[in-house]
Amino acid sequence: MLFLIEYDRGKGEIVTLQRFDESQRHRAEGTRLDLELKLNGLGTEHEVVLLEASSENALRRTHRRYFENLSELMKAS
Amino acid sequence: MASEISKTQIDRLGDRLKKGEITDNDLRLLDEYRRSFSEAYEFVIVAIRNELGLEPTGRPAKSTISISDKLLRESIRLSQIQDVAGCRLVVSEIVDQNRAVESLKGIFDNANIVDRREHPSHGYRAVHVIVRYRHTLVEIQVRTLLQQAWAELSEKLSDINGTAIKYGKGNKTIMEPLLQMSAELAKEEANEAELTRLEAEVSVLLSAESTELQKQDIMNVQRELKKLQQKQRSLRNTSLKILRDTLEQIQ
């Protein structure tokens, strides 16, 4: 599965999360560009990243920083 | 690298990203450049899945903000960035990490290994395996659970307090405990590796018919094992204390 994440680094929070299946790779990449263009127009500096994992749980294990706040990360450590 | 985009175009784009002057056309060009890594990325992911039976989490292309940060931080050109495309493997322990790296070397014969365990980058410990596919590079990050926990924490703190923290130039009240914790985790992992080695030794000794001398050997190794287990608990307690102190300082 593919996951397109818009992440506000300053707040440490996900703004939007879109899910795509593997057959939608080109669509996911197109959506990433559209989102970057939109944010650039608004002057918003959010991180936009496309990630791929076997499931959302797998992604949450290897990229916890996007999904958890500081206290949650520290507790889980 | 995409045949349609020249190296000069890419590096000029990098210069603009570095200055923070990003137009919509720059974003489109960067998107085209990043998509040129797709074939190499797919090759690496499929090989890891099919030949090693492991399930990596992939990042087909580095985010614009991460590319800009890297260009600002390091004196490299956009065309020289090695981790535009990459993936991550998180394994349990150092022994599994060594095994995974050896397996990767076995399937990618041109792999370049960057071992950041002995020489951490501002506390960051992991092994990176850089694979070349035709003219494109893909980075595979191999981390243990402890290395992963530290890296996630460091990245989160950098998100909130500024990326300088990740590169040794940030707020010292945050950076110093992070470095201390990294050093403790390194000790814990070294101890863990020694524990695994001794456990294997005991298992071999126990499986053989033992003479009196060998029985004595087994008892010696078991005593050593017990000491290491106690040390492991103590190292874990130290790491947890640093974590708690760091959290108190930040909040």
Side-chain angles (χ1 to χ4, degrees), chain B residues 191-226:
Chain B
N191 200 57
E192 183 186 86
E194 183 61 8
L195 260 173
T196 309
R197 191 188 67 75
L198 283 178
E199 278 163 358
E201 203 174 309
V202 168
S203 157
V204 169
L205 287 170
L206 287 175
S207 66
E209 268 187 43
S210 310
T211 61
E212 275 310 306
L213 193 63
Q214 283 167 330
K215 279 179 188 162
Q216 192 60 44
D217 277 351
I218 295 172
M219 279 165 66
N220 288 342
V221 177
Q222 281 175 328
R223 263 197 295 275
E224 194 59 31
L225 203 58
K226 205 168 180 183

Side-chain angles (χ1 to χ4, degrees), chain B residues 10-103:
Chain B
I10 294 161
D11 288 334
R12 283 189 183 148
L13 170 64
D15 292 341
R16 295 193 294 276
L17 288 171
K18 201 169 172 174
K19 287 177 191 162
E21 300 164 356
I22 311 171
T23 65
D24 285 355
N25 280 339
D26 288 336
L27 286 174
R28 288 190 187 95
L29 184 61
L30 182 62
D31 186 65
E32 192 181 336
Y33 177 55
R34 286 188 295 209
R35 286 188 198 218
S36 70
F37 286 77
S38 298
E39 194 183 342
Y41 167 81
E42 285 291 324
F43 167 76
V44 168
I45 293 282
V46 169
I48 293 174
R49 275 187 196 145
N50 293 351
E51 297 191 40
L52 300 187
L54 298 173
E55 192 52 61
T57 302
R59 194 210 51 206
K62 200 174 182 73
S63 69
T64 304
I65 198 166
S66 297
I67 289 176
S68 299
D69 283 350
K70 190 157 196 160
L71 291 169
L72 271 172
R73 187 176 77 232
E74 296 174 18
S75 55
I76 52 168
R77 317 298 309 262
L78 177 53
S79 61
Q80 296 172 316
I81 293 184
Q82 295 193 342
D83 62 344
V84 170
C87 63
R88 182 175 298 168
L89 285 168
V90 179
V91 296
S92 297
E93 299 178 359
I94 288 271
V95 204
D96 309 304
Q97 186 177 38
N98 290 337
R99 199 177 298 130
V101 171
E102 284 308 308
S103 303

